[in-house]
Amino acid sequence: MARMAPRGRAEAHRAATPLELFFDLCFVVAVAQAGRQLVHALAEAHPGHGIPGYLMLFFAIWWAWLNFTWFSSAYDTDDALYRVVTLVQMAGVLILAAGVPRAFDGDFAVVWFGYLVMRLALVAQWLRAAHGSSGPERTTALRYAAGVSLCQIGWLAVLLSPEGARPWVFLALAVAEMAVPALAERDHQTSWHPHHIAERYGLFVIIMLGETVAAATVAVQSAVDEQDELAGLLPIAAGGLLLIFAAYWIYFAVPIHLHLTSNRQAFLWGYGHYLVFGSAAAIGAGIEVAVEQAVGEAHVSLFAASACVTVPGALFMFTVWLIHSRHQKRGPAQQLVLPVSAVLVLSCTFAGNAAVLLTGLVASATVAVGATLTARQGQALDG
């Protein structure tokens, strides 16, 4: 067995591996399941049940992905043992995905077992890293192994707690999970690679947006097949597509790896992506609800259906600005583009049948204004 040595943080040409891309694809299934349950709850006018359930399940999905991503950035040896253990983690993801519908109904047993499979594999990876290291690096790896193990045992409390207390128990354990990296690395930072981490997060954004495109396409296709409502659906399809394209442009408009110079900056940026990823995926669910409302299959008002698109759209814009884009923006004009656009997107909720189309147009205008201001700044610097 080869020693699991840390990768170099300054390593040149570090890029995502085929195994990492394969790992990410397994999460498409889990995200699709969570999105489908969210659509059902919102369309049946049960946001009090659907939104907390989505937030909890998406945290579980996102945190499992994050654990693997940061570990692989620091310790990916890509040997046979590493690949086998990663495949075990992928099996755990698929078990988790299979348990998502049950979890929305309050049964977290399958999700917990899927997490157990993933966590046993992750702990094995950290123990292997500890075995191949010494000093503070070994201590950090052992702290990770212990912290992950304790948190996994703690998740049993979600299974045993009464339904009313379950969200609060979940919140407490989520905070404990997020505290593990800070505690484990307080004396020694793992050698995650800034460019590699930025690329991995960007690829996951693309997966979230791709899932949104797929969900919206299926919704429109089903509605057209069952109802002769093409005239009413075209504005929703066009607005949704413009919003998704704009979301892609907005996120990738600036390079971020140069900002990730320490654990403090990287962890705040990385944790904040829970809202970026979650809102990106929720846009697709919102478009599905808007389509169902347009053809009379959803038991919600037009205003509520519009909000299912505008709220995650505005949240995506604001969160991307807050944790991502503002670090590369110069001057008040550039800094205000996304926050102002988020408010404008929210105001589109009141636009009736034109809400989704108008949201897409506002998002497109946001891209145009941002690109224009960036070009002008470049010209001023050249001059």
Side-chain angles (χ1 to χ4, degrees), residues 8 56 59 62 78 84 155 182 191 193 199 218 220 267 332:
M56 287 192 292
F59 177 88
W62 163 75
D78 199 33
V84 169
W155 285 113
S191 57
H193 193 285
E199 181 188 17
V218 171
V220 173
F267 285 179

PDB file of all heavy atoms in Angstrom, residues 8 56 59 62 78 84 155 182 191 193 199 218 220 267 332:
ATOM      1  N   GLY A   8       0.726  18.987  -3.134  1.00  0.00           N
ATOM      2  CA  GLY A   8       1.272  20.317  -2.947  1.00  0.00           C
ATOM      3  C   GLY A   8       0.255  21.403  -3.273  1.00  0.00           C
ATOM      4  O   GLY A   8      -0.440  21.332  -4.287  1.00  0.00           O
ATOM      5  N   MET A  56     -32.890  20.436   4.828  1.00  0.00           N
ATOM      6  CA  MET A  56     -32.178  19.399   5.581  1.00  0.00           C
ATOM      7  C   MET A  56     -31.555  18.366   4.642  1.00  0.00           C
ATOM      8  O   MET A  56     -30.385  18.002   4.800  1.00  0.00           O
ATOM      9  CB  MET A  56     -33.134  18.730   6.573  1.00  0.00           C
ATOM     10  CG  MET A  56     -33.493  19.598   7.753  1.00  0.00           C
ATOM     11  SD  MET A  56     -34.349  18.691   9.089  1.00  0.00           S
ATOM     12  CE  MET A  56     -35.913  18.315   8.302  1.00  0.00           C
ATOM     13  N   PHE A  59     -28.678  19.793   2.693  1.00  0.00           N
ATOM     14  CA  PHE A  59     -27.471  19.893   3.520  1.00  0.00           C
ATOM     15  C   PHE A  59     -26.752  18.557   3.560  1.00  0.00           C
ATOM     16  O   PHE A  59     -25.518  18.507   3.447  1.00  0.00           O
ATOM     17  CB  PHE A  59     -27.818  20.341   4.939  1.00  0.00           C
ATOM     18  CG  PHE A  59     -26.620  20.379   5.849  1.00  0.00           C
ATOM     19  CD1 PHE A  59     -25.833  21.519   5.927  1.00  0.00           C
ATOM     20  CD2 PHE A  59     -26.249  19.266   6.601  1.00  0.00           C
ATOM     21  CE1 PHE A  59     -24.700  21.551   6.746  1.00  0.00           C
ATOM     22  CE2 PHE A  59     -25.123  19.286   7.412  1.00  0.00           C
ATOM     23  CZ  PHE A  59     -24.355  20.440   7.484  1.00  0.00           C
ATOM     24  N   TRP A  62     -25.060  18.043   0.168  1.00  0.00           N
ATOM     25  CA  TRP A  62     -23.955  18.987  -0.022  1.00  0.00           C
ATOM     26  C   TRP A  62     -22.779  18.674   0.891  1.00  0.00           C
ATOM     27  O   TRP A  62     -21.624  18.699   0.467  1.00  0.00           O
ATOM     28  CB  TRP A  62     -24.471  20.406   0.247  1.00  0.00           C
ATOM     29  CG  TRP A  62     -23.422  21.435   0.477  1.00  0.00           C
ATOM     30  CD1 TRP A  62     -22.613  22.011  -0.455  1.00  0.00           C
ATOM     31  CD2 TRP A  62     -23.067  22.036   1.738  1.00  0.00           C
ATOM     32  NE1 TRP A  62     -21.776  22.942   0.152  1.00  0.00           N
ATOM     33  CE2 TRP A  62     -22.033  22.969   1.480  1.00  0.00           C
ATOM     34  CE3 TRP A  62     -23.529  21.889   3.043  1.00  0.00           C
ATOM     35  CZ2 TRP A  62     -21.469  23.736   2.498  1.00  0.00           C
ATOM     36  CZ3 TRP A  62     -22.962  22.647   4.055  1.00  0.00           C
ATOM     37  CH2 TRP A  62     -21.935  23.557   3.772  1.00  0.00           C
ATOM     38  N   ASP A  78      -4.927   8.659  -6.128  1.00  0.00           N
ATOM     39  CA  ASP A  78      -5.438   8.025  -7.346  1.00  0.00           C
ATOM     40  C   ASP A  78      -4.861   6.626  -7.559  1.00  0.00           C
ATOM     41  O   ASP A  78      -4.725   6.166  -8.690  1.00  0.00           O
ATOM     42  CB  ASP A  78      -5.148   8.905  -8.577  1.00  0.00           C
ATOM     43  CG  ASP A  78      -6.047   8.537  -9.754  1.00  0.00           C
ATOM     44  OD1 ASP A  78      -7.199   8.134  -9.512  1.00  0.00           O
ATOM     45  OD2 ASP A  78      -5.596   8.643 -10.912  1.00  0.00           O
ATOM     46  N   VAL A  84     -11.018   2.410  -4.879  1.00  0.00           N
ATOM     47  CA  VAL A  84     -12.006   1.472  -4.321  1.00  0.00           C
ATOM     48  C   VAL A  84     -12.777   2.128  -3.181  1.00  0.00           C
ATOM     49  O   VAL A  84     -14.013   2.038  -3.104  1.00  0.00           O
ATOM     50  CB  VAL A  84     -11.311   0.183  -3.842  1.00  0.00           C
ATOM     51  CG1 VAL A  84     -12.276  -0.667  -3.015  1.00  0.00           C
ATOM     52  CG2 VAL A  84     -10.793  -0.623  -5.028  1.00  0.00           C
ATOM     53  N   TRP A 155     -25.850  11.649  14.527  1.00  0.00           N
ATOM     54  CA  TRP A 155     -27.015  11.696  13.639  1.00  0.00           C
ATOM     55  C   TRP A 155     -28.079  10.693  14.034  1.00  0.00           C
ATOM     56  O   TRP A 155     -29.233  10.782  13.573  1.00  0.00           O
ATOM     57  CB  TRP A 155     -26.581  11.462  12.194  1.00  0.00           C
ATOM     58  CG  TRP A 155     -25.903  12.638  11.572  1.00  0.00           C
ATOM     59  CD1 TRP A 155     -24.603  12.720  11.185  1.00  0.00           C
ATOM     60  CD2 TRP A 155     -26.484  13.921  11.279  1.00  0.00           C
ATOM     61  NE1 TRP A 155     -24.329  13.971  10.668  1.00  0.00           N
ATOM     62  CE2 TRP A 155     -25.467  14.723  10.717  1.00  0.00           C
ATOM     63  CE3 TRP A 155     -27.751  14.470  11.448  1.00  0.00           C
ATOM     64  CZ2 TRP A 155     -25.689  16.045  10.321  1.00  0.00           C
ATOM     65  CZ3 TRP A 155     -27.974  15.786  11.061  1.00  0.00           C
ATOM     66  CH2 TRP A 155     -26.947  16.552  10.501  1.00  0.00           C
ATOM     67  N   ALA A 182     -12.703  23.229  11.202  1.00  0.00           N
ATOM     68  CA  ALA A 182     -12.010  24.298  11.925  1.00  0.00           C
ATOM     69  C   ALA A 182     -11.248  23.757  13.125  1.00  0.00           C
ATOM     70  O   ALA A 182     -10.110  24.185  13.400  1.00  0.00           O
ATOM     71  CB  ALA A 182     -13.018  25.358  12.366  1.00  0.00           C
ATOM     72  N   SER A 191      -3.372  20.475   2.820  1.00  0.00           N
ATOM     73  CA  SER A 191      -2.792  21.096   1.611  1.00  0.00           C
ATOM     74  C   SER A 191      -3.776  21.099   0.442  1.00  0.00           C
ATOM     75  O   SER A 191      -3.437  20.687  -0.663  1.00  0.00           O
ATOM     76  CB  SER A 191      -1.508  20.360   1.217  1.00  0.00           C
ATOM     77  OG  SER A 191      -1.783  18.985   1.013  1.00  0.00           O
ATOM     78  N   HIS A 193      -5.825  22.505  -2.673  1.00  0.00           N
ATOM     79  CA  HIS A 193      -5.288  23.313  -3.777  1.00  0.00           C
ATOM     80  C   HIS A 193      -6.323  24.365  -4.188  1.00  0.00           C
ATOM     81  O   HIS A 193      -7.440  24.015  -4.597  1.00  0.00           O
ATOM     82  CB  HIS A 193      -4.974  22.394  -4.955  1.00  0.00           C
ATOM     83  CG  HIS A 193      -4.143  23.018  -6.015  1.00  0.00           C
ATOM     84  ND1 HIS A 193      -4.641  23.945  -6.912  1.00  0.00           N
ATOM     85  CD2 HIS A 193      -2.830  22.854  -6.340  1.00  0.00           C
ATOM     86  CE1 HIS A 193      -3.689  24.306  -7.740  1.00  0.00           C
ATOM     87  NE2 HIS A 193      -2.573  23.669  -7.412  1.00  0.00           N
ATOM     88  N   GLU A 199     -12.233  24.999  -9.111  1.00  0.00           N
ATOM     89  CA  GLU A 199     -12.756  24.254 -10.256  1.00  0.00           C
ATOM     90  C   GLU A 199     -13.818  23.251  -9.825  1.00  0.00           C
ATOM     91  O   GLU A 199     -14.868  23.119 -10.466  1.00  0.00           O
ATOM     92  CB  GLU A 199     -11.624  23.514 -10.971  1.00  0.00           C
ATOM     93  CG  GLU A 199     -12.109  22.740 -12.201  1.00  0.00           C
ATOM     94  CD  GLU A 199     -11.034  21.846 -12.798  1.00  0.00           C
ATOM     95  OE1 GLU A 199     -10.032  21.569 -12.107  1.00  0.00           O
ATOM     96  OE2 GLU A 199     -11.210  21.421 -13.954  1.00  0.00           O
ATOM     97  N   VAL A 218     -38.377  18.507 -18.540  1.00  0.00           N
ATOM     98  CA  VAL A 218     -39.351  17.438 -18.332  1.00  0.00           C
ATOM     99  C   VAL A 218     -40.714  18.011 -17.959  1.00  0.00           C
ATOM    100  O   VAL A 218     -41.759  17.530 -18.426  1.00  0.00           O
ATOM    101  CB  VAL A 218     -38.854  16.481 -17.232  1.00  0.00           C
ATOM    102  CG1 VAL A 218     -39.946  15.494 -16.832  1.00  0.00           C
ATOM    103  CG2 VAL A 218     -37.620  15.730 -17.713  1.00  0.00           C
ATOM    104  N   VAL A 220     -42.020  20.993 -18.770  1.00  0.00           N
ATOM    105  CA  VAL A 220     -42.653  21.586 -19.942  1.00  0.00           C
ATOM    106  C   VAL A 220     -43.109  20.500 -20.911  1.00  0.00           C
ATOM    107  O   VAL A 220     -44.210  20.554 -21.465  1.00  0.00           O
ATOM    108  CB  VAL A 220     -41.692  22.580 -20.637  1.00  0.00           C
ATOM    109  CG1 VAL A 220     -42.290  23.067 -21.952  1.00  0.00           C
ATOM    110  CG2 VAL A 220     -41.400  23.759 -19.717  1.00  0.00           C
ATOM    111  N   PHE A 267     -12.928  28.565   3.930  1.00  0.00           N
ATOM    112  CA  PHE A 267     -14.048  27.917   4.609  1.00  0.00           C
ATOM    113  C   PHE A 267     -15.315  28.772   4.521  1.00  0.00           C
ATOM    114  O   PHE A 267     -16.410  28.240   4.309  1.00  0.00           O
ATOM    115  CB  PHE A 267     -13.697  27.650   6.067  1.00  0.00           C
ATOM    116  CG  PHE A 267     -12.753  26.488   6.265  1.00  0.00           C
ATOM    117  CD1 PHE A 267     -12.318  26.123   7.520  1.00  0.00           C
ATOM    118  CD2 PHE A 267     -12.285  25.751   5.180  1.00  0.00           C
ATOM    119  CE1 PHE A 267     -11.451  25.054   7.718  1.00  0.00           C
ATOM    120  CE2 PHE A 267     -11.412  24.688   5.338  1.00  0.00           C
ATOM    121  CZ  PHE A 267     -10.991  24.337   6.614  1.00  0.00           C
ATOM    122  N   PRO A 332     -18.233  51.149  -6.590  1.00  0.00           N
ATOM    123  CA  PRO A 332     -19.612  50.942  -6.118  1.00  0.00           C
ATOM    124  C   PRO A 332     -20.561  50.468  -7.207  1.00  0.00           C
ATOM    125  O   PRO A 332     -21.490  49.713  -6.931  1.00  0.00           O
ATOM    126  CB  PRO A 332     -20.019  52.321  -5.582  1.00  0.00           C
ATOM    127  CG  PRO A 332     -19.077  53.290  -6.234  1.00  0.00           C
ATOM    128  CD  PRO A 332     -17.800  52.541  -6.418  1.00  0.00           C
TER     129      PRO A 332
END
